[in-house]
Amino acid sequence: MFLMSFWLPILLSAVFVFLASAVINMAFTFWHAPDMKGFANEDEVAAAMRRNGPAPGLYMIPFCDPATFKDPAVQAKFAQGPVAKIYLSPNGMKSLGAHLGAWFLLCLAISIVCAGLAGAVLPPSAGTHAIWHTVGLAALLGYSFGEPTNAIWRGQPWIVSLKYAIDGLLYAIVTAATFAWLWPAA
């Protein structure tokens, strides 16, 4: 099946996932609100970070390269703590529009990949179960399976990764339902 025959489920599934994410993040504030924590001495921490004017990027405390990892002084810093990975963004208020636009483009990209996979492996007369199964699993991979990486390598708490993976499961269900509903006629 041609990818263009899926234009409507691609577009609408991206829109529906975008709306579902808005509901999750605006109506169910209890769900992700506890994911971030602040420092009790935030002003002092921010002042210390500002002193050297670090550029936006990912920083690590304590910082070391693989060649110095076994150095007793470096190991002592890790033992003493804190051990942190800190993401610094450009100064100023965040443009919510840019983040929402990027999120919608990701939703669209995942829907396009789901359509490409479904069109390649399913016949035009595919049954609803096959559509749900194929598109749902592909969408689940796109929305959820990157989350453990954040816990494994970036130190994100596992509960936070689990909550985002659950969000991804809901987005996969929305995507699969949309494709099953709007599957192009043979």
Side-chain angles (χ1 to χ4, degrees):
M1 295 180 67
F2 292 108
L3 189 60
M4 286 309 297
S5 63
F6 293 102
W7 73 270
L8 189 57
I10 288 171
L11 182 62
L12 285 183
S13 64
V15 168
F16 294 157
V17 167
F18 185 86
L19 294 174
S21 71
V23 169
I24 288 171
N25 288 292
M26 293 185 334
F28 301 111
T29 55
F30 64 87
W31 183 240
H32 286 296
D35 295 349
M36 301 291 264
K37 295 177 178 33
F39 290 103
N41 60 341
E42 179 180 325
D43 292 337
E44 295 169 38
V45 171
M49 292 173 74
R50 269 192 298 273
R51 273 196 276 281
N52 291 323
L58 174 60
Y59 294 84
M60 189 172 160
I61 298 173
F63 179 77
C64 67
D65 60 45
T68 62
F69 191 70
K70 292 187 178 188
D71 181 328
V74 170
Q75 290 183 356
K77 286 181 179 183
F78 274 94
Q80 181 185 12
V83 176
K85 291 182 179 90
I86 302 168
Y87 297 94
L88 293 182
S89 300
N91 292 343
M93 291 297 293
K94 301 296 164 234
S95 167
L96 189 57
H99 290 288
L100 291 174
W103 170 239
F104 182 75
L105 289 176
L106 178 63
C107 294
L108 201 57
I110 291 172
S111 291
I112 290 169
V113 169
C114 289
L117 177 69
V121 301
L122 296 175
S125 59
T128 303
H129 179 267
I131 298 167
W132 269 88
H133 186 83
T134 304
V135 173
L137 284 176
L140 184 64
L141 286 169
Y143 287 115
S144 293
F145 274 58
E147 276 306 315
T149 302
N150 293 326
I152 293 167
W153 293 108
R154 295 185 182 102
Q156 177 173 281
W158 276 99
I159 188 66
V160 174
S161 289
L162 178 64
K163 288 194 287 185
Y164 281 109
I166 291 169
D167 292 354
L169 174 62
L170 295 174
Y171 304 153
I173 291 168
V174 167
T175 303
T178 305
F179 272 78
W181 171 44
L182 297 170
W183 189 258

